[in-house]
Amino acid sequence: MAKIDKQSLIEFFKIESEEHLEIILNGLQTLSIDTENWSIIDEIFRSAHTLKGSAAMVGFKNISAIAHHLENLFDFMRIGSKRLNKTLISRVIILVEDFNSAVKNTNDDLTEDDVTSFSERINAILSDAESHEPKESSEDKTTPILVTPTDRKEILQKADDVFDKISKIEKSEQFIHLKINQIDNMVNILGEIVTNKNRENAKIKEIIEKFEELNYSTQRLNSIVSNIEQNFSYTNIYEQQISKDTTPQDSTLTDDFSLGELDRYDMFNVYSRQLSEIVNDINLSYKAIQNIFETFKDDILSINRLIDKLRKDITSARMIPVDKLFNTAIMAAKTAAMSENKEISIMFSGEKLSIDQSVFDALKESFIHLVRNAISHGIEKPEKRILSGKPEKGVLILKAQRYENSLVFDIEDDGSGIDIDKVRKIAIEKGLVSQYEAENMRADKVIEFLFLPGFTTKETVSDLSGRGVGLDVVKDSIEKLGGYVKLSSESGKGTKITITLPLREVIGEYLYIKENGQLFAIPLLYINAITAINLNNLKEKMNVYQYNIRGENIDIYDLGYLIKQTNTPSFVESASGIILHYRGKKFLITVDEILYKVMTVTKPLPHSIRHIKYFSAATITASGEIALILDPSHLITGLSQHKISVVKEKTKTDKKEKAYTPNSVLVVDDSLSIRKYLSKILSSIKCYYEEATDGISAINKLRERKFDLIITDLEMPLMNGYELINNIRNEMLDRSTPIFVVTSRATDKHKNKALELGANDFIMKPFDEDEIVAKIKETIVGKALL
């Protein structure tokens, strides 16, 4: 059996390692600002893990060992057993940069000394890291600001000092001033570049397809010409004797030679040789063009990486630290406390998070309203607090954090809380509800009256509060950003207002789908998992249809019905389902077709459709087609929960026969190096194979084609290996196609879970080439491989 060309695999590994180390460095830069960004920690951990497995596959055991040490470091951060402050994270950044340079500057594995050096540096960082104890963590400590009305000048001076302290810019950094519209113009230009990049990538994909077709045609032509050469390049003796009288050659000069001593050629022989020469020229030109194209493709990949980095840099230029928002709120709180003769201590955390300029502009007024309300409505005067057994100074807490796909802001006070009975009374007086309804209404429903225009519990009117302008304005401005406001309160103990905003990007990653022939996009931030619908898991409960997936029942909706494309929802056997998550809840939507994911630019909606809340913006595909972006935060808002008539279809009306090629294998892995390694193995044993970069791509291929074997990794974006196996076995109801899991996860827990879900074999990376070939041959029974 032919061995694999390791050099080509090393080249793929070099490209892949550079990408993963760049992801790790970018993530660490983010962590240096926000040490509590758990999603970033997960991302860099996964990149280190993939790098470890890829290095092992190409035989770079020392690089793999260093990546393993990094993986352990990030795992300690991820599970919280070790805590790195900003100084230690800076040391990790320098270490990873050194590791990146070492990998770039060698075409071979690193040395044992390198392993020792890097491992010692990592161990030193771990030993200097703190145990995860939030109460002692300097990163979690809130910064107090004291505001007392005892001395007006002293208060102003204290507040201004604190304001200057939290607003100061480190002298070591250099800055220039840019207008927001200048940055917006750069973002727009970058958006056009990204659109053109996507268009070029689509053209490259088409060229690759044409190359494959040309290669197939060239192979056929080579085969035909080879047959012609064997049969007709030299005319045999019998044929020459027959055609001797008709040959155009002058035989008088060669009469002295017998037919065995000198070949004779007729015109057919000449054409055969000319055809052979032409085919050889075509083959040489084809190989030359192919080499040029491979170089061009590498250049495009490099440009793509630069564009992605430029996108991140320009996008970050629009970002504003949350402490600027807090500064504004603190000044408002200071003024309100002085006006009301109250004493407060302001505490804040999460000030190093960043928000987009547009979000800052929208939140600024809301924060001012909320802190004024907290001081005016919530926190009591010193003498009243003392009588209630509270400290003389009230506490106002401002907090910002990133949770899943959202930014969450909390404004909390330890004041008197909301007087629910008083709210009920005012609601009755205003005719908003009857006395009977008010008395039997839950407290959380009563609180919602506070968000109505003009509703206030303040008995006196001042310049700062009691004018009926407050929570209704906040609610409207937050909902325009696609977010929501939640208010909770406990009488005598305080009030907490939580603002949740979805993370949105001018240039972001989206999943393209089709519904009733129309193209849509869903932000990847909201996607939890992908599944194939099995109607046996569809249940009706409380007039709502639910879908059971891995023992959990979640609400299911037909996308066409949600966006009013159809009047009657329908659920189809083996249709594509997308599990979305928002506000801590999950729901499932069914779509006609899942296409592919892409990094693209968002465009604002035209005024004519901006009122449709379940669309947030639009994107432009590489072919110039417009796709509306679905907004999961509003997709099922206001949907009637009464019982609806649902159509269940066992099969799609346009279902077609699946394509099939004997000895076919589907390789599913997000690592380029692993895919190429396995594809070369499969080619060497004459297997037909296709590649998929993640579970979604694999599901799409399995809908179109039947395979004799599926080889999959476990850890992949969007849909991991476990989810893929579960989809194949339980949703697509394919219990017969063998599935091999190939992973670097060596624990029994990982193995048992895969086998439990329906995997047929569990193979560890790095694996032996002869061993996996034997397993493939043994599995594809009755084929030409044996």
Side-chain angles (χ1 to χ4, degrees):
M1 184 188 70
K3 292 294 182 182
I4 301 303
D5 179 13
K6 295 291 185 182
Q7 186 57 42
S8 62
L9 295 177
I10 290 172
E11 292 173 1
F12 285 118
F13 168 75
K14 295 282 283 187
I15 296 172
E16 185 180 22
S17 64
E18 183 179 349
E19 292 176 348
H20 285 300
L21 288 168
E22 183 178 338
I23 289 171
I24 292 172
L25 284 170
N26 290 337
L28 289 169
Q29 293 290 353
T30 301
L31 282 176
S32 67
I33 299 172
D34 174 18
T35 57
E36 298 294 332
N37 195 323
W38 302 111
S39 62
I40 291 294
I41 297 175
D42 283 337
E43 184 179 6
I44 63 176
F45 168 82
R46 189 173 171 282
S47 288
H49 174 73
T50 304
L51 179 62
K52 178 188 73 174
S54 299
M57 284 304 305
V58 295
F60 289 170
K61 294 181 179 179
N62 292 331
I63 293 178
S64 179
I66 297 170
H68 179 63
H69 289 305
L70 279 174
E71 180 188 26
N72 288 339
L73 171 63
F74 300 144
D75 193 37
F76 281 127
M77 296 170 62
R78 186 174 66 156
I79 63 178
S81 61
K82 290 290 185 180
R83 185 179 188 84
L84 271 64
N85 57 34
K86 294 177 182 178
T87 302
L88 290 177
I89 290 174
S90 297
R91 287 168 60 184
V92 179
I93 291 173
I94 295 171
L95 183 146
V96 174
E97 286 176 340
D98 292 344
F99 181 40
N100 189 22
S101 298
V103 174
K104 277 184 180 179
N105 294 330
T106 181
N107 290 320
D108 204 348
D109 196 6
L110 298 181
T111 65
E112 294 288 345
D113 290 340
D114 291 325
V115 176
T116 302
S117 173
F118 281 107
S119 62
E120 287 176 351
R121 291 170 66 180
I122 292 172
N123 289 334
I125 291 170
L126 283 171
S127 64
D128 292 342
E130 302 172 352
S131 296
H132 184 51
E133 296 178 2
K135 65 180 181 180
E136 297 180 0
S137 171
S138 61
E139 297 295 320
D140 277 351
K141 287 181 181 178
T142 53
T143 304
I145 302 173
L146 301 180
V147 183
T148 62
T150 54
D151 187 330
R152 210 172 182 83
K153 292 183 180 179
E154 184 180 350
I155 295 166
L156 289 171
Q157 186 60 49
K158 280 186 178 181
D160 288 339
D161 289 344
V162 174
F163 185 84
D164 291 338
K165 180 180 178 181
I166 64 177
S167 303
K168 70 178 181 179
I169 300 173
E170 295 182 11
K171 294 181 180 180
S172 60
E173 295 181 294
Q174 298 293 323
F175 292 89
I176 62 170
H177 293 285
L178 282 177
K179 295 179 181 178
I180 291 297
N181 63 344
Q182 290 177 309
I183 298 178
D184 288 341
N185 288 337
M186 286 190 286
V187 171
N188 290 334
I189 293 171
L190 179 60
E192 296 301 323
I193 293 174
V194 170
T195 301
N196 289 330
K197 180 199 79 169
N198 292 338
R199 188 177 295 116
E200 295 307 313
N201 287 339
K203 289 178 181 177
I204 288 175
K205 186 177 179 181
E206 290 180 13
I207 293 173
I208 291 174
E209 291 174 354
K210 296 300 179 185
F211 259 115
E212 290 175 352
E213 293 176 7
L214 179 60
N215 185 43
Y216 176 71
S217 299
T218 304
Q219 289 176 356
R220 288 185 61 198
L221 183 59
N222 284 336
S223 177
I224 294 171
V225 171
S226 178
N227 289 333
I228 292 174
E229 277 188 313
Q230 291 175 10
N231 294 310
F232 301 108
S233 288
Y234 300 97
T235 305
N236 61 46
I237 296 174
Y238 175 74
E239 288 175 332
Q240 288 190 30
Q241 289 174 339
I242 293 176
S243 60
K244 188 174 182 180
D245 296 335
T246 59
T247 181
Q249 295 176 336
D250 184 359
S251 62
T252 58
L253 299 175
T254 59
D255 286 343
D256 295 338
F257 295 94
S258 67
L259 295 175
E261 294 176 312
L262 184 66
D263 288 328
R264 266 76 164 179
Y265 300 96
D266 58 18
M267 291 304 296
F268 192 82
N269 302 144
V270 175
Y271 291 147
S272 172
R273 286 175 171 270
Q274 289 177 344
L275 182 60
S276 178
E277 291 173 1
I278 292 171
V279 169
N280 288 333
D281 290 341
I282 291 173
N283 285 332
L284 290 173
S285 298
Y286 173 80
K287 290 178 179 178
I289 294 173
Q290 190 176 35
N291 290 335
I292 294 171
F293 177 71
E294 288 298 326
T295 304
F296 170 72
K297 191 168 66 172
D298 290 341
D299 291 341
I300 290 293
L301 288 174
S302 177
I303 291 171
N304 288 345
R305 288 194 294 271
L306 291 174
I307 290 174
D308 288 340
K309 187 176 186 306
L310 182 62
R311 173 188 65 83
K312 292 175 182 177
D313 290 344
I314 293 181
T315 302
S316 66
R318 279 183 54 95
M319 305 302 282
I320 296 175
V322 168
D323 64 358
K324 187 174 181 181
L325 181 67
F326 284 175
N327 291 345
T328 305
I330 288 166
M331 296 302 291
K334 175 190 69 174
T335 305
M338 290 170 51
S339 174
E340 304 254 352
N341 292 320
K342 296 179 179 179
E343 296 185 8
I344 61 170
S345 174
I346 302 177
M347 307 175 74
F348 59 89
S349 63
E351 72 278 7
K352 294 303 180 182
L353 280 176
S354 295
I355 55 176
D356 188 82
Q357 175 70 47
S358 61
V359 175
F360 172 82
D361 293 339
L363 281 180
K364 182 179 177 181
E365 292 301 320
S366 296
F367 258 70
I368 291 174
H369 280 308
L370 293 175
V371 297
R372 284 175 176 173
N373 280 344
I375 303 300
S376 181
H377 292 263
I379 294 177
E380 311 94 333
K381 290 188 177 181
E383 56 272 18
K384 187 175 180 180
R385 290 179 64 85
I386 293 173
L387 290 174
S388 301
K390 293 182 179 181
E392 186 177 1
K393 298 172 185 176
V395 177
L396 178 66
I397 300 174
L398 306 178
K399 185 186 296 183
Q401 61 180 320
R402 178 171 175 168
Y403 176 73
E404 292 183 345
N405 52 13
S406 302
L407 284 172
V408 181
F409 299 89
D410 291 328
I411 299 174
E412 185 176 359
D413 66 71
D414 69 341
S416 58
I418 295 173
D419 189 337
I420 300 297
D421 291 334
K422 188 174 183 178
V423 176
R424 281 195 176 100
K425 180 181 177 182
I426 295 172
I428 295 170
E429 291 174 354
K430 289 180 173 289
L432 299 174
V433 67
S434 68
Q435 184 170 344
Y436 175 79
E437 290 174 324
E439 290 175 352
N440 290 278
M441 188 176 288
R442 295 200 321 261
D444 59 326
K445 293 296 182 182
V446 174
I447 287 177
E448 291 180 3
F449 286 123
L450 296 173
F451 291 100
L452 296 177
F455 196 102
T456 180
T457 59
K458 190 73 172 178
E459 295 176 354
T460 59
V461 175
S462 69
D463 290 337
L464 298 175
S465 64
R467 298 185 178 275
V469 179
L471 291 181
D472 61 312
V473 175
V474 172
K475 185 172 182 288
D476 288 343
S477 63
I478 298 305
E479 287 183 348
K480 286 178 181 178
L481 294 173
Y484 66 98
V485 183
K486 181 182 178 182
L487 191 154
S488 58
S489 180
E490 188 174 352
S491 181
K493 293 189 177 180
T495 301
K496 180 179 179 180
I497 294 179
T498 300
I499 297 173
T500 303
L501 294 173
L503 290 170
R504 288 175 177 164
E505 300 176 300
V506 177
I507 301 173
E509 285 190 298
Y510 298 89
L511 178 67
Y512 279 144
I513 63 170
K514 270 196 173 180
E515 181 70 14
N516 293 314
Q518 188 172 353
L519 186 67
F520 298 101
I522 301 177
L524 289 186
L525 283 169
Y526 294 101
I527 296 176
N528 182 271
I530 309 292
T531 188
I533 299 300
N534 179 354
L535 291 182
N536 293 328
N537 294 337
L538 189 67
K539 308 293 181 184
E540 180 193 348
K541 183 179 180 181
M542 301 292 292
N543 295 334
V544 176
Y545 278 88
Q546 293 191 320
Y547 190 83
N548 185 282
I549 181 164
R550 295 186 291 277
E552 180 183 6
N553 291 319
I554 60 176
D555 293 345
I556 181 172
Y557 304 94
D558 175 12
L559 178 60
Y561 179 76
L562 287 180
I563 60 178
K564 297 180 172 56
Q565 284 185 329
T566 59
N567 295 323
T568 305
S570 63
F571 300 124
V572 180
E573 183 73 20
S574 296
S576 298
I578 302 175
I579 300 175
L580 304 175
H581 60 105
Y582 184 65
R583 301 187 184 184
K585 297 181 179 179
K586 292 189 289 188
F587 62 95
L588 175 64
I589 61 171
T590 61
V591 300
D592 288 345
E593 187 178 0
I594 294 176
L595 299 178
Y596 52 89
K597 66 175 182 178
V598 68
M599 176 75 72
T600 187
V601 65
T602 62
K603 297 288 186 179
L605 295 173
H607 289 284
S608 58
I609 61 172
R610 283 186 184 175
H611 64 283
I612 306 177
K613 289 189 175 181
Y614 38 76
F615 298 135
S616 60
T619 71
I620 301 175
T621 68
S623 61
E625 187 176 358
I626 294 176
L628 295 174
I629 298 175
L630 295 168
D631 185 354
S633 64
H634 287 106
L635 199 56
I636 59 174
T637 302
L639 182 69
S640 175
Q641 294 296 306
H642 64 273
K643 188 173 181 178
I644 53 177
S645 175
V646 173
V647 177
K648 298 182 184 180
E649 301 178 21
K650 280 294 180 183
T651 57
K652 291 186 177 181
T653 55
D654 60 344
K655 189 174 180 180
K656 58 184 180 180
E657 189 78 16
K658 287 187 178 180
Y660 173 70
T661 302
N663 306 329
S664 55
V665 181
L666 176 61
V667 178
V668 191
D669 201 305
D670 61 328
S671 169
L672 176 65
S673 302
I674 303 298
R675 291 201 309 274
K676 293 303 177 186
Y677 187 86
L678 286 170
S679 65
K680 288 179 180 294
I681 289 176
L682 294 168
S683 294
S684 68
I685 57 176
K686 310 300 181 186
C687 273
Y688 172 85
Y689 67 89
E690 290 193 15
E691 299 176 12
T693 57
D694 53 50
I696 292 178
S697 177
I699 288 292
N700 286 334
K701 288 181 180 293
L702 289 168
R703 293 187 195 282
E704 301 293 329
R705 177 178 288 276
K706 176 177 172 55
F707 292 89
D708 294 311
L709 173 64
I710 300 168
I711 302 176
T712 181
D713 188 18
L714 281 184
E715 295 173 294
M716 298 179 292
L718 290 182
M719 180 186 286
N720 62 40
Y722 290 131
E723 292 169 328
L724 175 61
I725 296 169
N726 182 70
N727 267 272
I728 294 170
R729 296 298 190 228
N730 300 317
E731 310 300 331
M732 302 183 76
L733 298 179
D734 180 355
R735 307 294 172 87
S736 60
T737 304
I739 301 175
F740 287 179
V741 170
V742 178
T743 179
S744 56
R745 290 293 182 183
T747 67
D748 289 339
K749 180 179 179 180
H750 289 90
K751 179 178 180 180
N752 293 337
K753 182 67 174 178
L755 297 177
E756 176 189 334
L757 288 171
N760 298 84
D761 207 340
F762 195 88
I763 303 169
M764 291 300 304
K765 298 177 184 175
F767 49 79
D768 180 78
E769 181 183 330
D770 294 330
E771 178 186 355
I772 197 168
V773 167
K775 286 179 178 289
I776 292 171
K777 287 183 175 182
E778 181 182 352
T779 302
I780 306 180
V781 180
K783 309 299 180 185
L785 296 178
L786 298 177

